[in-house]
Amino acid sequence: MQDGRAPRIKNRAPAAIQVTAEQLLRDAQERQESQFRAPKQRVEDFEELHEYRGRKREEFEKRIRQTRSSIKEWLQYANWEASQGEYARSRSIFERALDVDPRSVQLWLSYTEMELKGRNVQHARNLFDRAVTLLPRVDQLWYKYVYLEELLGNVPGARQVFERWMQWEPDDKAWQAYIKLEQRYNELDRASAIYERWVAVRPEPRVWVKWGKFEEERAKLDKAREVFQTALEFFGDDEEQIEKAQAVFNAFAKMETRLKEYERARVIYKFALSRLPRSKSAALYAAYTKFEKQHGTRSTLESTVLGKRRIQYEEELTHDGRNYDVWFDYARLEEGALRDLREEGATGEEEERVTNRVREVYERAVAQVPPGGEKRHWRRYIFLWLYYALFEEIETKDYERARQIYETAIRVVPHKQFTFAKLWIMFARFEVRQLKLPAARKILGTAIGMCPKEALFKGYIQLEFDLREFDRVRTLYEKYIEWDPTNSAAWIKYAELESQLEDFARVRAIYELGVSQTALSMPELLWKAYIDFETEEGEREKARALYERLVQTSGHVKVWISYATFEAEPIPVARALREEAEDEEEEEVPMVEGDPVRARQAFERGYKDLKSKGLKHERVVLLEIWKAFEEKYGAAEDVVKVQGMMPITSKRRIVDKETGQTVEDWDIVFADDEREANPTTFKFLQMAHAWKAAQAKSGGGSTTVLSGFAAAAAARASASELSGSNGTVRRDAESHRREDRERGEDGSSDVASSNGDDED
C-alpha cells in the first residue's frame, strides 16, 4: 500500500484453501488470553487463619477510612465478620456504621438479618424496636418486625407491634395487614374494631365499603346495614359529599340486592339519584338500570331508562345549547313519559310534576334564540315554539297558556327581516278551534299587513274557503293578485274558485285579465288553464281563438302541437247541451268529434312558421308528431307526404372563423329547404333517385327506404319520364358542375355527402 491507498489486487482468483467463518471464530476464541484469577489459598492452621483475618481486616479498615460514607463497604465488612463467626465484631462494625448513617434502611435490614441468621432473636427484636422508633414511617421495617413476631408465634407481641404502628396512622395496606392478622386467628370482633378505628382515621367511601362487606361476609347483616347507614349519615345531604359517596350507595344497594331486599335497594338508588345532578351520576344510573332490568317491573325499568337518556341529553346540551335536534328529542322524551304516566293511572300530583318537567324543557329550549338575522338559523328553532303550543293545547288543555306561547313567539321573530307563515297560520287556526273567528282573521290580516307572503295568502284563503266564506275568498284573491300580479298560479286558483262557483263569466274575465299582464312568471300555465277551461266547457271556437292568440304571441313548437292535437281530439259538448243530457239521465257525457282536416292545417301552419324562423330541431319534433297523427287519422298518401318532408343528417364543410381551416360539421337538411336553395341540384337528385327506383323495380330487386328526397322524387316521378331520364341526368350533372365551379368552396351543403347514408 502506497500513499495510504488500498493495495491493488492482481490475482482475483479464489484461494486453493478456503477458510470458513466457523474456523475464523474458533481461531479467535482460541487466541484469547484467559482472565487473571487469584489463586486459591488453603488455611492449614490457626496461625495462618489469624494472619489471613488480620490481613482482611486491615484491607477493610483501609477502605472504610477512604470511603467512610459508603454503606456498601460497611456492609461487606460486617457480613465478612459474621461469615467468620465473629458476631461481636460484626455488631461492632454495624454499630459504627449506624453512627455514620442511622437512617439507612438497608443497614438496619442487614443488621437484623445477620442477627437472625445467627439465631440471636432477642438481639433482632431489640434492633427492630430501635429501627421503628427511629424510622416510624418506613413500612418495610414494621412488616419485618410483625412477621418476626408472628413467625415466633408471639401473636400478642405482633398485635402490640401493630398497635404501635397504627398510632402513626399508616396507609391502607398497613390497616389491611392488621385486619388480616386478626382474621387468620379468627378474631373477627377485633377486626371489626380495627375497621372502626380505620374509618375514624380515613373516612373515605372505599373504607366504609370494605367494612360493610366484611360485616356481610361474617353474616352480621344488621351490623353491615348499620355501617352503611353510619357512612351515609357521615357524608350528609351535601351535593359534593353525596357525589363522593356514590360508591357507598352502590355497595349498599348491591348488598340489599344480594339479600333479596329489592325494595330496600330501589329506595337506596332513588335516594342517591334524587340528590345528585344528572350529569354527575352516570355510573350510579348505569348500576340502577342494570338492577331494574334484573329485578324491576316494566314501569320502573322505563323510568330508569328515561333517567339515563336525560343524562345523555343534558351532556349533549352542555356542549352545544343551540342543538335544536337534541331539544326536540328531549321534549319528545318527556312528553312520552307524561303519556305513559297517564296510561298507568298516576295521581294528579305526579302528573303535574311530569308536566312541569316538560314545560321546563320547552322553556329552556326556546330561550336558546339563534344568533344573527339569517332565516336559515331560525328554521329549526321556530318549531320549538310550535310544538310547545301544541303540547299545551292538546296534552294539558291549557288554552290560555298556548295563546301566550303563540303571542310570545310572534314577538320574538324579527318580521322586518323575515317571517314564518306557518307560525301565523297555526296561531289563526288555534283561534278558530277556540271559536274565535274574528281573532283568527285579525291575526292573518296583521300578518299580511306586516309581512305579506305567498304562503300567508294561501293559508288565509284556505281558511276562508273551509269556512265557505266565498266573498272573503274573492277579496283575498284580489289582494293576492294586487300584491303579485305576475303569479300565474294565483290567477289560476282564482279562476278555479269561480269555476267551482259556476260563475263562468267571472272565470273568463279573470283569465283575460291574467293573460293580458305584460310580465308573468310562467305564462304558459295560465294559457293552458284558460284553454283547458274552454275545452271542458265545450267551447271549441273560443278555445281555437285562444290558440290563435297564443301562436301569434308565442309560436312555440309545443303550442302548435297542442293546437293540432286539440283540433283532432274530441271534446265534451257545450254545457247547455250537457245539462239537457243530464236531465235525460244519460250516464256518459256526449262528445263532439275532432276535425282531422283542421288539425292537418294546424300542422302545416306550424311547419311553415317554424321554417320561416329557421328552427330545424323544432321542425323535426313537429314532423314526428305529425307523422304519428297521419298514421292514426290520415291516408297512406298523407303518411308518404309527411315522410317526404323528413330531413336527413348531412355533413357540411365550413371554414372555421378562428383558425381559418375547413372543418366538417353535421347538419339537418330538409328536402323543401334544398329545393328552394338549390333547385338544379334538387332536380338532379330527384331524377337520380327516380332512376334508381326504376332500375330496382325493373330488376325485381329490393331497395332500401331512402330519405325525404327519395320519397319526394317517387311521389312526383312518372313512368313516362323515366325513359328520357338518362339524357336529362347528364345535362343536369353538367349544369351542376358548372354552378359548383362558379360558387367555389363557400361552405354550402355538400349534397353528394348528404346521400352518404344511401346504399348505391
Side-chain angles (χ1 to χ4, degrees):
M1 184 174 66
Q2 297 176 356
D3 300 334
R5 291 177 296 176
R8 295 180 61 186
I9 301 174
K10 296 181 180 180
N11 185 7
R12 298 179 180 273
I17 300 174
Q18 296 292 322
V19 180
T20 62
E22 181 181 359
Q23 185 176 356
L24 290 174
L25 293 174
R26 188 170 57 251
D27 292 344
Q29 187 173 5
E30 289 177 354
R31 293 178 182 179
Q32 286 182 353
E33 296 180 357
S34 59
Q35 296 180 355
F36 173 76
R37 293 182 181 178
K40 292 184 178 180
Q41 296 180 353
R42 295 184 61 183
V43 179
E44 298 294 341
D45 52 15
F46 286 103
E47 185 178 354
E48 291 182 0
L49 178 61
H50 289 306
E51 182 182 357
Y52 164 73
R53 288 177 177 177
R55 188 171 62 252
K56 291 292 289 183
R57 289 189 182 108
E58 287 180 0
E59 292 177 1
F60 280 122
E61 290 292 343
K62 183 178 179 181
R63 285 157 58 185
I64 288 173
R65 283 195 301 271
Q66 292 176 352
T67 56
R68 180 176 176 79
S69 60
S70 177
I71 302 299
K72 180 179 179 182
E73 300 295 339
W74 289 101
L75 292 178
Q76 289 180 356
Y77 190 8
N79 290 329
W80 180 81
E81 291 289 359
S83 65
Q84 298 298 317
E86 298 288 343
Y87 291 105
R89 288 180 174 273
S90 179
R91 291 191 193 101
S92 176
I93 296 168
F94 273 119
E95 291 296 339
R96 289 167 61 192
L98 289 175
D99 291 338
V100 175
D101 187 4
R103 295 188 176 276
S104 175
V105 178
Q106 184 181 6
L107 191 58
W108 285 105
L109 293 177
S110 298
Y111 195 180
T112 53
E113 185 178 357
M114 183 272 295
E115 295 291 358
L116 290 174
K117 285 182 179 179
R119 298 182 182 276
N120 299 318
V121 178
Q122 193 60 38
H123 283 283
R125 279 176 175 167
N126 294 336
L127 286 175
F128 275 123
D129 187 80
R130 289 171 58 192
V132 297
T133 303
L134 184 63
L135 302 172
R137 294 297 181 184
V138 180
D139 294 339
Q140 189 176 6
L141 297 174
W142 290 102
Y143 283 122
K144 291 281 188 178
Y145 194 4
V146 170
Y147 177 72
L148 173 63
E149 296 294 346
E150 188 177 1
L151 189 64
L152 296 174
N154 187 13
V155 178
R159 191 176 291 121
Q160 186 177 1
V161 173
F162 267 120
E163 288 295 334
R164 289 178 58 190
W165 190 8
M166 295 305 111
Q167 291 177 2
W168 292 96
E169 298 181 1
D171 59 3
D172 295 343
K173 291 183 179 180
W175 291 96
Q176 290 177 345
Y178 192 8
I179 292 169
K180 288 180 180 179
L181 172 71
E182 300 294 354
Q183 288 179 332
R184 283 196 294 273
Y185 296 99
N186 203 20
E187 295 288 344
L188 302 182
D189 292 334
R190 287 179 176 272
S192 180
I194 296 170
Y195 269 116
E196 186 173 356
R197 292 167 57 192
W198 187 9
V199 296
V201 173
R202 282 191 178 80
E204 298 177 1
R206 53 190 177 81
V207 180
W208 290 99
V209 171
K210 289 179 180 293
W211 189 9
K213 288 184 178 180
F214 169 75
E215 298 294 347
E216 181 187 359
E217 290 174 357
R218 71 182 190 125
K220 296 286 185 177
L221 303 180
D222 295 337
K223 181 67 174 178
R225 290 194 180 101
E226 182 182 351
V227 169
F228 283 118
Q229 290 172 3
T230 306
L232 298 182
E233 291 176 1
F234 172 79
F235 287 109
D237 295 336
D238 187 48
E239 181 179 320
E240 295 182 359
Q241 294 295 327
I242 293 180
E243 180 184 359
K244 185 178 179 182
Q246 288 189 58
V248 178
F249 284 104
N250 198 2
F252 194 6
K254 287 183 178 180
M255 185 193 75
E256 297 292 354
T257 304
R258 289 192 293 269
L259 299 176
K260 302 188 183 317
E261 295 287 347
Y262 303 125
E263 288 302 323
R264 284 176 174 267
R266 186 174 291 110
V267 169
I268 294 168
Y269 277 124
K270 289 183 177 181
F271 176 82
L273 294 174
S274 63
R275 285 162 174 77
L276 278 175
R278 296 171 184 173
S279 59
K280 298 180 180 179
S281 56
L284 196 60
Y285 254 115
Y288 183 35
T289 305
K290 185 177 180 181
F291 165 77
E292 292 293 352
K293 287 180 180 179
Q294 294 177 346
H295 310 289
T297 60
R298 177 177 174 272
S299 59
T300 57
L301 179 59
E302 288 180 353
S303 63
T304 307
V305 174
L306 286 176
K308 192 172 183 180
R309 290 179 61 187
R310 286 189 190 106
I311 295 176
Q312 177 183 352
Y313 290 142
E314 289 290 346
E315 289 179 353
E316 293 180 3
L317 293 174
T318 303
H319 294 94
D320 185 7
R322 291 191 176 92
N323 190 346
Y324 300 119
D325 292 330
V326 177
W327 284 114
F328 289 136
D329 296 339
Y330 200 176
R332 279 194 290 267
L333 174 71
E334 299 295 351
E335 290 184 24
L338 177 60
R339 285 191 290 270
D340 294 341
L341 199 65
R342 286 175 177 172
E343 291 177 0
E344 295 173 2
T347 61
E349 183 179 352
E350 293 179 349
E351 185 175 340
E352 181 66 22
R353 179 173 53 82
V354 178
T355 303
N356 291 334
R357 182 181 294 169
V358 179
R359 286 173 177 163
E360 178 188 355
V361 172
Y362 273 119
E363 289 292 339
R364 291 171 57 196
V366 298
Q368 302 294 329
V369 181
E374 296 185 19
K375 188 175 182 178
R376 60 188 181 90
H377 295 148
W378 290 68
R379 294 187 185 278
R380 300 288 290 164
Y381 169 73
I382 203 66
F383 278 93
L384 290 170
W385 288 100
L386 298 178
Y387 291 159
Y388 190 9
L390 290 175
F391 167 75
E392 295 292 349
E393 180 185 358
I394 298 173
E395 298 294 340
T396 65
K397 303 292 190 288
D398 193 344
Y399 305 115
E400 187 60 33
R401 191 181 184 92
R403 185 177 293 107
Q404 293 176 2
I405 292 170
Y406 279 119
E407 292 173 352
T408 307
I410 288 174
R411 287 196 299 269
V412 169
V413 177
H415 301 287
K416 298 292 183 182
Q417 302 177 23
F418 54 83
T419 189
F420 292 93
K422 184 180 287 294
L423 178 61
W424 293 99
I425 294 170
M426 289 189 65
F427 190 12
R429 290 194 172 275
F430 165 75
E431 295 293 356
V432 171
R433 290 192 291 271
Q434 304 307 313
L435 304 179
K436 293 184 179 181
L437 189 57
R441 287 173 176 153
K442 182 178 179 181
I443 291 168
L444 291 176
T446 304
I448 292 174
M450 184 184 301
C451 43
K453 191 178 179 182
E454 183 179 0
L456 283 172
F457 280 107
K458 290 181 178 180
Y460 198 178
I461 289 169
Q462 186 62 40
L463 176 64
E464 296 293 354
F465 184 82
D466 294 340
L467 297 173
R468 299 298 184 263
E469 293 287 346
F470 299 114
D471 292 335
R472 290 181 176 273
V473 175
R474 287 192 177 105
T475 304
L476 288 172
Y477 269 120
E478 292 173 1
K479 295 289 184 182
Y480 187 9
I481 293 171
E482 181 182 353
W483 175 68
D484 186 11
T486 63
N487 194 337
S488 300
W491 292 100
I492 295 170
K493 291 293 183 181
Y494 192 8
E496 288 177 355
L497 169 70
E498 298 296 348
S499 177
Q500 292 176 4
L501 299 176
E502 297 185 355
D503 194 343
F504 304 112
R506 290 179 66 93
V507 175
R508 291 188 176 91
I510 292 168
Y511 277 126
E512 286 294 337
L513 188 59
V515 297
S516 64
Q517 299 295 320
T518 56
L520 284 172
S521 57
M522 298 180 71
E524 64 275 8
L525 297 179
L526 186 58
W527 281 100
K528 184 178 183 304
Y530 194 3
I531 294 170
D532 290 344
F533 165 72
E534 296 293 357
T535 304
E536 291 175 359
E537 292 298 317
E539 299 290 343
R540 189 182 287 272
E541 291 298 330
K542 293 182 179 180
R544 186 179 295 120
L546 289 174
Y547 270 117
E548 291 293 339
R549 291 168 59 187
L550 184 56
V551 296
Q552 293 297 328
T553 305
S554 173
H556 196 271
V557 62
K558 291 184 179 180
V559 177
W560 286 109
I561 293 172
S562 178
Y563 188 8
T565 307
F566 158 75
E567 293 290 1
E569 293 180 350
I571 64 172
V573 298
R575 181 171 292 276
L577 300 177
R578 204 183 309 167
E579 291 176 355
E580 293 178 0
E582 290 177 358
D583 294 339
E584 296 176 2
E585 297 182 355
E586 293 185 6
E587 295 182 358
E588 297 183 358
V589 178
M591 306 291 288
V592 178
E593 295 297 329
D595 190 352
V597 177
R598 284 184 176 274
R600 192 172 294 111
Q601 293 174 357
F603 276 119
E604 292 174 353
R605 288 176 59 196
Y607 183 79
K608 292 178 181 178
D609 182 62
L610 296 174
K611 178 182 176 182
S612 65
K613 296 178 181 178
L615 304 174
K616 294 186 177 182
H617 293 282
E618 287 76 1
R619 289 164 67 186
V620 174
V621 175
L622 183 68
L623 287 174
E624 293 290 343
I625 303 298
W626 191 358
K627 181 181 177 182
F629 163 77
E630 295 295 356
E631 290 175 352
K632 184 176 181 181
Y633 295 101
E637 308 83 57
D638 299 325
V639 178
V640 173
K641 176 184 175 182
V642 177
Q643 180 66 32
M645 299 170 69
M646 288 291 183
I648 63 171
T649 304
S650 167
K651 184 186 295 183
R652 298 178 57 193
R653 288 193 294 271
I654 61 175
V655 178
D656 192 351
K657 295 181 180 180
E658 296 181 357
T659 61
Q661 297 179 355
T662 302
V663 296
E664 293 183 350
D665 190 15
W666 294 95
D667 190 16
I668 298 175
V669 180
F670 290 86
D672 48 0
D673 291 346
E674 193 67 26
R675 181 170 57 247
E676 294 176 2
N678 303 308
T680 305
T681 305
F682 183 80
K683 185 67 176 176
F684 168 75
L685 281 175
Q686 185 180 19
M687 304 313 298
H689 284 305
W691 176 79
K692 181 178 179 181
Q695 291 292 332
K697 186 175 181 181
S698 62
S702 61
T703 180
T704 58
V705 179
L706 301 178
S707 65
F709 296 99
R716 291 176 175 81
S718 60
S720 61
E721 294 176 347
L722 292 174
S723 60
S725 62
N726 294 334
T728 305
V729 167
R730 285 193 296 271
R731 288 193 299 274
D732 290 340
E734 290 293 336
S735 63
H736 173 63
R737 284 193 293 271
R738 187 166 52 254
E739 290 176 0
D740 283 344
R741 284 194 299 271
E742 293 174 357
R743 286 196 303 269
E745 296 295 330
D746 57 354
S748 59
S749 301
D750 189 357
V751 181
S753 64
S754 67
N755 292 317
D757 295 338
D758 297 337
E759 297 179 1
D760 293 337

